[in-house]
């Protein structure tokens, strides 16, 4: 059975850093697009970052929501079946539950989420 398990969340002061990890099992990890989403209380779940294999190059493409560009970095380690989200210069508005997502075609899988709280 496919499963995504997030870890690395916690409490950090503004300006600090955290690295989130998402370990995938039960699926061919390298075949899937992977993304990080977040949801704050009273707000819709939003895309934070996504990493996909490029059809035009041998590398991978990444995309970020404007509010995290230059501060967050998404990466993946296929050998470890893990996707990471390095979060630097954290701000209170980054406080949310962060969810890992795997997707291919019309299929998708969500993790259970990990709480990130940034104090001012």
């Amino acid at each position: 059975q496919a499963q995504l398990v997030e870890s690395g969340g916690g409490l950090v002061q503004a300006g600090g850093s955290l690295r989130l990890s998402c370990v995938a099992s039960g699926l061919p990890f390298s075949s899937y697009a992977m993304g990080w989403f977040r949801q704050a209380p009273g707000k819709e779940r939003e895309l934070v970052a996504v990493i996909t294999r490029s059809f035009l190059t041998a590398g991978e493409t990444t995309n970020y929501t404007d509010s995290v560009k230059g501060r967050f970095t998404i990466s993946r380690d296929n050998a470890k079946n893990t996707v990471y989200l390095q979060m630097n210069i954290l701000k209170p508005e980054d406080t949310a539950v962060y969810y890992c997502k795997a997707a291919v075609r019309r299929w998708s899988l969500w993790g259970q989420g990990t709480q990130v709280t940034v104090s001012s």
Side-chain angles (χ1 to χ4, degrees):
Q1 184 174 354
Q3 185 178 15
L4 302 176
V5 179
E6 301 101 328
S7 63
L11 175 64
V12 64
Q13 292 192 58
S17 299
L18 287 173
R19 188 177 76 159
L20 306 183
S21 299
C22 173
V23 180
S25 61
L27 55 83
F29 180 76
S30 63
S31 299
Y32 294 82
M34 301 296 298
W36 286 97
F37 292 71
R38 67 186 180 186
Q39 187 166 23
K43 296 184 178 180
E44 295 183 342
R45 188 171 298 186
E46 66 170 343
L47 173 68
V48 176
V50 62
I51 183 166
T52 59
R53 177 67 64 182
S54 175
F55 292 112
L56 301 178
T57 71
E60 296 173 323
T61 59
T62 59
N63 293 96
Y64 303 88
T65 190
D66 287 344
S67 63
V68 308
K69 288 181 179 177
R71 299 188 298 119
F72 290 12
T73 302
I74 187 171
S75 62
R76 66 195 299 168
D77 186 337
N78 291 334
K80 297 181 178 179
N81 291 344
T82 302
V83 61
Y84 304 95
L85 184 67
Q86 179 66 47
M87 305 184 294
N88 298 324
I89 319 176
L90 283 161
K91 304 175 180 179
E93 50 263 45
D94 294 319
T95 295
V97 177
Y98 284 71
Y99 298 91
C100 180
K101 181 184 179 182
V104 59
R105 296 173 67 88
R106 295 181 180 180
W107 181 92
S108 64
L109 176 68
W110 293 90
Q112 292 298 307
T114 184
Q115 177 70 49
V116 172
T117 302
V118 184
S119 62
S120 60

